[in-house]
Amino acid sequence: MVAKIRKAVFPVAGQGTRFLPATKVVPKELLPIIDKPLIQYAVEEAREAGIEEFIFVDSRGKSIIANHFDANPELEDILLAKGKYELLQTVQESTIPPGCAVYSRQEKALGLGHAIWCARKLIDNQPFAVLLPDDLFFYSPNCLKQLVDEYERFGGHMLAVHDVPIQDTEKYGILKITKDNGLTVIADTLVEKPKPIDAPSNVAIAGRYILSPVIFEALDKKIIGTGGEIQLTDAITATLDKVTCTGVRFKGKRFDCGSVNGWLQANIYLGLQREDINDFLLKYLQKLGFNCENDKI
Ligand code: G1P
């Protein structure tokens, strides 16, 4: 029996320079996809996958994320008095219950591995999930739940993976695969953002992980990797004499909302999925001259 995954780490310290000037004051994680902040999609995904404790690794200027997940009694009173019950529910659903959200500061941008290390005291030697909020997934069961289901069979480290065009390997952590079972793959090495010519495969990590706490033994060593940063991929590789690393080819769509193009795609995709917006959006696109039937998008 593997331990239940109850805790999730959300690294939210990044600067979001690709969205300047929007992110000069507002954290990129609070930019909306239609009408909900990006980070809230990841929190809801985690909650649906069984997560009970939400650990945010943030940085200076990001405290407003904690405010977003706090209750807002003044606003709730106004919505109640005006009879706006649906909006009231929306506001209440975005609140994380007291004692279930914790925040740790990453003082310097030293890499994803370092961000996860900043959560070490909050993990209690249990396996835990990591969700990179820039990566937005749509599917039911959601991406983290797909990992949790496979974790119950395999244990060890679990990574959401997808097959990418070989010219894109420089954007991702790439797996060196020892066994490919179709839905799952077993890896014995991970390489962070290799050039296509050096890539051991085209199987890339997407931003969802379940990690064994043994990862902190490697992260404690603070080894600098690609881009001069402490890389999570290197730490995972360093622990593979102790635990296995399984990649799960996730089902569903993924959008890289850390890029303007991916963020725009996610807004359009979700707009076309949402019943309250679909009709308006299609008509507007048609008015602009796009001949798009919904099922071809
Ligand atoms: C991070 C990880 C990388 C992973 C990617 C997924 O990179 O370091 O291994 O493939 O997320 O989105 P980043 O995109 O933060 O540079």
Side-chain angles (χ1 to χ4, degrees), residues 18 112 132 134-135 162 171-174 191-193 204-209 229 231-233 254 256:
R18 283 185 279 183
L112 178 59
L132 309 187
D134 280 0
D135 279 353
H162 54 152
K171 296 182 190 164
Y172 301 100
I174 301 290
V191 187
E192 183 67 13
K193 304 195 174 86
I205 305 169
R208 300 291 182 270
Y209 310 70
E229 296 189 337
Q231 297 293 352
L232 185 58
T233 40
R254 165 193 175 263
D256 171 13

